[in-house]
Amino acid sequence: MSQPQQYMTWINLAKLIIAIVFASLIYQQLFVRNDFNALVIEYKSSSHDRSYIFLLITIVLMFINWTLEIIKWKSLVEVKHKISFRESAKAVLMGITLGMVSPFRVGEFAGRLLVLPKRKMPVSVASSLYGSISQNFWILVFGAISLKLLIPSHPIFYFRSLDPLILGILGVALIVLIVYFLLPVISQKIRTPYLKRRFPSLHDKELLTYTPKQLFFVLLLSGMRYAVFCFQFYLLLVFFGMELMAKIALPSIPLIYAIQSGIPIPGVLSAVARGEIAIMVLSSYNVNEITILISSLMIWIINLLLPSLIGLILIWFYNFRQIEKHGNEDI
């Protein structure tokens, strides 16, 4: 067997393994950890009047959510590598799929590398890094704000002084923001010979050359994405029968996402974590647990499962010989 044939055999085997692991985890999520059929039956038996406009808006917002992410990643990559919206969409969708089966969704980095030549991979890593930092900044900021807003009304927080914790979270957010804008400068300062030998691409001039204007644009897109998926969760809670006032429900959602972001689990298991956290936060307001669980599962299906299925198809039919070709390019 020739070397190219061996290469493609291993690639096809990797595709098959990814597909099997993905299908297995989806089955576990829907029918083992969450008894999806039981949740649906229980929901149908409720007398709640459903307004499907909330569900429709949530689905529309899913497209807006991932379009913002595609634009964000494309804008960061295009600083040093011209890339189309279509190729950026492929990168993001394949990244979602690989992120579903990896802790902290680190597989997203690998998925996005696939559409770029090897010599441009440092650009992809930097783009994903900046996108992640900008997203986490908003999670920290609104997590702290929601905690402050919920203290007077939540039984768990009432009579407890959480100001030190809130200030600590905001302090971390400020550090994240400073690092975000100063990382290009910092990366140029720590050029020890060992690091340059060990990580030659880390100090590549193409890696971290973003301007404050570009970084602010990315930060703005991340803030818009954050607002979209918080609003999506709220719409689903209302759709599935939550009667909690918006002034309490809306601040609760950022807190749920903030707690969830600190749990190192694959994306495929995020619905379980979000459901348990949401129950902890919202059940004190007498929100029905079935409403919380089915809303958490549905937001996972809409925002992650559906895009990841498209990503899996893209991975399956992707021409990985491009990587082999790119790998032979001079760096």
Side-chain angles (χ1 to χ4, degrees):
M1 185 181 292
S2 64
Q3 187 173 356
Q5 288 176 322
Q6 288 181 336
Y7 175 82
M8 291 310 300
T9 299
W10 284 109
I11 288 296
N12 290 332
L13 180 60
K15 289 180 180 180
L16 182 61
I17 292 172
I18 290 171
I20 292 172
V21 171
F22 182 85
S24 175
L25 288 173
I26 295 302
Y27 177 82
Q28 289 282 324
Q29 175 77 311
L30 289 178
F31 301 107
V32 179
R33 292 184 174 89
N34 286 291
D35 192 338
F36 184 69
N37 292 329
L39 287 173
V40 171
I41 291 171
E42 180 113 14
Y43 169 69
K44 286 183 176 179
S45 66
S46 69
S47 59
H48 173 66
D49 293 330
R50 295 178 284 275
S51 177
Y52 284 91
I53 188 65
F54 293 112
L55 182 60
L56 179 61
I57 294 173
T58 303
I59 294 171
V60 171
L61 287 174
M62 179 267 287
F63 291 100
I64 296 174
N65 177 18
W66 287 113
T67 298
L68 288 171
E69 178 62 22
I70 292 166
I71 294 171
K72 182 172 72 173
W73 191 76
K74 180 178 183 293
S75 68
L76 286 165
V77 170
E78 273 194 326
V79 172
K80 290 295 179 180
H81 179 73
K82 192 70 175 177
I83 187 170
S84 67
F85 182 87
R86 182 179 178 180
E87 287 301 302
S88 299
K90 283 183 181 179
V92 170
L93 289 168
M94 289 191 291
I96 297 170
T97 303
L98 295 181
M100 288 278 279
V101 296
S102 59
F104 280 115
R105 295 171 66 176
V106 294
E108 288 191 10
F109 287 83
R112 297 181 185 193
L113 290 172
L114 298 178
V115 302
L116 297 178
K118 184 178 179 181
R119 62 188 178 86
K120 295 293 183 180
M121 285 185 180
V123 179
S124 177
V125 173
S127 301
S128 299
L129 175 65
Y130 270 100
S132 178
I133 292 174
S134 63
Q135 204 67 63
N136 285 322
F137 167 76
W138 294 112
I139 290 173
L140 287 168
V141 169
F142 282 100
I145 293 173
S146 66
L147 193 57
K148 182 66 175 178
L149 293 174
L150 289 175
I151 288 175
S153 62
H154 202 287
I156 295 178
F157 305 134
Y158 195 62
F159 291 129
R160 298 185 183 183
S161 177
L162 295 180
D163 288 346
L165 176 60
I166 294 169
L167 289 174
I169 295 172
L170 290 175
V172 172
L174 180 60
I175 293 171
V176 167
L177 188 64
I178 292 171
V179 170
Y180 175 75
F181 281 104
L182 293 184
L183 195 55
V185 178
I186 295 171
S187 68
Q188 299 300 320
K189 297 294 183 182
I190 51 174
R191 289 188 173 188
T192 66
Y194 170 77
L195 284 176
K196 291 175 72 175
R197 289 195 304 269
R198 183 67 180 84
F199 305 105
S201 64
L202 184 65
H203 302 289
D204 191 320
K205 290 182 180 179
E206 294 182 323
L207 182 54
L208 297 168
T209 55
Y210 306 116
T211 65
K213 183 178 179 180
Q214 291 164 338
L215 294 178
F216 181 79
F217 177 67
V218 169
L219 195 66
L220 180 63
L221 289 175
S222 294
M224 292 169 65
R225 263 200 83 204
Y226 184 82
V228 166
F229 58 68
C230 284
F231 190 51
Q232 282 180 294
F233 196 21
Y234 173 73
L235 289 174
L236 285 177
L237 286 166
V238 174
F239 174 72
F240 286 113
M242 182 188 70
E243 297 178 353
L244 190 62
M245 291 185 297
K247 68 178 183 180
I248 296 177
L250 286 173
S252 300
I253 294 170
L255 181 59
I256 293 168
Y257 280 120
I259 297 172
Q260 181 191 341
S261 66
I263 302 175
I265 57 173
V268 75
L269 302 179
S270 61
V272 175
R274 186 185 300 116
E276 295 299 323
I277 295 166
I279 287 174
M280 179 186 72
V281 174
L282 293 173
S283 61
S284 298
Y285 296 114
N286 297 317
V287 179
N288 186 282
E289 287 192 9
I290 295 297
T291 297
I292 297 172
L293 288 174
I294 200 168
S295 298
S296 299
L297 188 59
M298 188 58 70
I299 194 73
W300 175 81
I301 290 172
I302 293 172
N303 273 359
L304 282 179
L305 180 57
L306 295 181
S308 67
L309 286 173
I310 299 173
L312 183 64
I313 294 170
L314 290 172
I315 290 173
W316 188 262
F317 291 103
Y318 190 71
N319 181 12
F320 281 84
R321 287 185 181 275
Q322 295 178 50
I323 301 176
E324 183 181 26
K325 180 181 176 181
H326 291 155
N328 293 328
E329 295 181 8
D330 294 332
I331 299 176

